[in-house]
Amino acid sequence: MPRTTTVECPGCPPIRALTFDALGLIKVTESRGNSGIPQVVERWGDADSSKRVLAASIDDRANDPILAVARKNSTIEISNPLNGDIFVSLSNIGDGDAHPEDDDDIAGLHLFKKSRSVGSCSLLTCTTKGNASLRSVDITPAGNTNNDGASNSWKVCAAGNILCAKVHGSEKHALFGGKGVEVNLWDLESSTKIWSAKPPPKNSLGIFTPTWFTSATFLTGDDHRKFVAGTNSHQVRVYDTSAQRRPVISFDFRETPIKSVAEDHDGYTIYVGNGSGDLASFDTRTGKLLGCFLGKCSGSIRSIARHPDHPVIASCGLDSYLRLWDVKTRELLSATFLKQHLTCVVFDSNFSDKAQNTGEIPGEDEQEALKPAKRKKSSEEMKGKKKKSRDDGSKKSKKKSRPIESEE
């Protein structure tokens, strides 16, 4: 039986989150008011395990936002994150891959925001076999007949499996790593490798830890040389490409593999989730544990997202719950059950709470008008009640007089 906890949730600020699950469904969860309770307001797609969502990326600009979703059947859908309408559905199989391998799934997906023009977008995809592709896609209705624009493909690794991919905030560099693949940094403009990590030395017992990276993220949007990677051996490694090829700081977290890593806005705090449902924050400058989040999850954490405006992070995983946490107090704000195993979560930062209260206090006349009106009883009903009360009184008096007559 899964471990469950009962926690009184105080609610969370106005937030809109999109979750993706193992059956290919996209669910929209919204919270309204300053201390609202998140609820599922929309569900997009049909339940199909072959359309399992592997990765997602969103461009949540105020005008013309788009959402990119990579699925198990090697298809990429570009849709509207406001209503779920699909603009373009294209295949990730190139012209030279007529018969792709069955296990060559999409491991990384990024939707470029800064270089986006009207009616088109740019996508970066990377498969588990290391096939990276940077392409331009036309999302206008007239361009649906020919979706593939200019593209550039290259090989990230010669052996091993890519399990994590991350694009820097400047969108000029990308990070790749996986099982049997050391984390390496690439220049997207020239499609060349500019740095590769070196595995740590053997421990005191002479045991060498195999290379197995599960997640990675950059620390800041200004400097692409500093990043963090999580391993399958429950270890978090901090790299600085300008200092050395080996980790600058390395520390362990619990006893299960690291499954997700997310950065904070301050540039040194990270949030780490593992396979047993533990969620904690660390200071990458010292490797010190800042604290664990209250309320343990019942399954493996697969995705962590930091809200760009509110001090809130979201986590989801195999326990089918979308949890929202307060960054400052590390307490659970809300937990929403979404039925299926969740694979990814993203925030819509331009969500505005239209139903939020304005803060004005209504006057006495308005308060009286808002009160429910009391129904006046008719005269016939009053007369009927009086007759019933008289009949009941006469019956009681007769019952009392009967024993007195018998005694006489």
Side-chain angles (χ1 to χ4, degrees), residues 285-336:
R285 298 172 297 182
T286 59
K288 181 181 178 181
L289 173 65
L290 299 179
C292 294
F293 286 79
L294 305 177
K296 186 179 177 65
C297 303
S298 302
S300 174
I301 297 176
R302 295 306 173 94
S303 179
I304 303 173
R306 173 69 162 87
H307 197 278
D309 300 325
H310 300 292
V312 174
I313 64 170
S315 68
C316 66
L318 300 186
D319 62 348
S320 306
Y321 273 91
L322 170 64
R323 287 180 168 87
L324 299 175
W325 312 82
D326 190 342
V327 172
K328 298 178 181 179
T329 61
R330 290 189 289 273
E331 67 176 353
L332 180 64
L333 297 179
S334 67
T336 307

Side-chain angles (χ1 to χ4, degrees), residues 91-338:
S91 175
N92 193 51
I93 303 173
D95 297 334
D97 300 333
H99 301 285
E101 300 180 14
D102 295 336
D103 57 347
D104 194 15
D105 297 327
I106 298 175
L109 173 68
H110 180 76
L111 185 63
F112 288 84
K113 303 177 183 179
K114 296 183 178 180
S115 60
R116 180 185 165 196
S117 59
V118 179
S120 65
C121 65
S122 298
L123 287 173
L124 174 65
T125 58
C126 183
T127 63
T128 55
K129 297 301 180 182
N131 299 315
S133 176
L134 179 62
R135 70 179 75 180
S136 178
V137 180
D138 188 5
I139 59 175
T140 58
N144 288 342
T145 57
N146 186 14
N147 293 327
D148 293 333
S151 62
N152 182 20
S153 301
W154 68 93
K155 194 77 172 177
V156 174
C157 61
N161 293 328
I162 298 295
L163 299 179
C164 57
K166 185 70 175 180
V167 176
H168 187 251
S170 62
E171 297 184 341
K172 295 181 180 180
H173 301 86
L175 187 67
F176 303 97
K179 185 177 181 180
V181 181
E182 288 289 342
V183 286
N184 48 80
L185 192 64
W186 287 73
D187 187 351
L188 297 179
E189 295 180 350
S190 59
S191 301
T192 56
K193 185 192 294 186
I194 59 177
W195 183 87
S196 179
K198 188 176 181 180
K202 297 180 181 180
N203 58 11
S204 58
L205 300 177
I207 300 174
F208 176 76
T209 304
T211 302
W212 193 339
F213 291 94
T214 56
S215 58
T217 185
F218 290 93
L219 286 177
T220 62
D222 301 330
D223 191 0
H224 67 276
R225 298 173 298 178
K226 297 179 180 180
F227 55 88
V228 178
T231 68
N232 192 69
S233 56
H234 57 85
Q235 196 174 61
V236 181
R237 300 176 184 175
V238 183
Y239 291 91
D240 187 355
T241 60
S242 61
Q244 59 186 20
R245 293 181 58 190
R246 280 178 172 162
V248 178
I249 297 176
S250 179
F251 51 89
D252 295 338
F253 177 54
R254 296 290 193 269
E255 300 294 334
T256 54
I258 306 298
K259 291 298 183 180
S260 182
V261 177
E263 77 282 0
D264 197 86
H265 302 328
D266 55 14
Y268 55 86
T269 303
I270 60 171
Y271 307 101
V272 181
N274 63 5
S276 60
D278 298 302
L279 181 62
S281 58
F282 289 87
D283 189 342
T284 56
R285 298 172 297 182
T286 59
K288 181 181 178 181
L289 173 65
L290 299 179
C292 294
F293 286 79
L294 305 177
K296 186 179 177 65
C297 303
S298 302
S300 174
I301 297 176
R302 295 306 173 94
S303 179
I304 303 173
R306 173 69 162 87
H307 197 278
D309 300 325
H310 300 292
V312 174
I313 64 170
S315 68
C316 66
L318 300 186
D319 62 348
S320 306
Y321 273 91
L322 170 64
R323 287 180 168 87
L324 299 175
W325 312 82
D326 190 342
V327 172
K328 298 178 181 179
T329 61
R330 290 189 289 273
E331 67 176 353
L332 180 64
L333 297 179
S334 67
T336 307
F337 183 64
L338 299 178

Side-chain angles (χ1 to χ4, degrees), residues 61-105:
R61 60 179 64 181
N63 298 324
D64 193 21
I66 57 175
L67 173 70
V69 176
R71 298 187 180 274
K72 178 74 173 177
N73 55 2
S74 299
T75 60
I76 301 173
E77 294 178 356
I78 301 176
S79 60
N80 188 346
L82 301 180
N83 51 23
D85 295 340
I86 299 176
F87 297 136
V88 174
S89 180
L90 59 148
S91 175
N92 193 51
I93 303 173
D95 297 334
D97 300 333
H99 301 285
E101 300 180 14
D102 295 336
D103 57 347
D104 194 15
D105 297 327

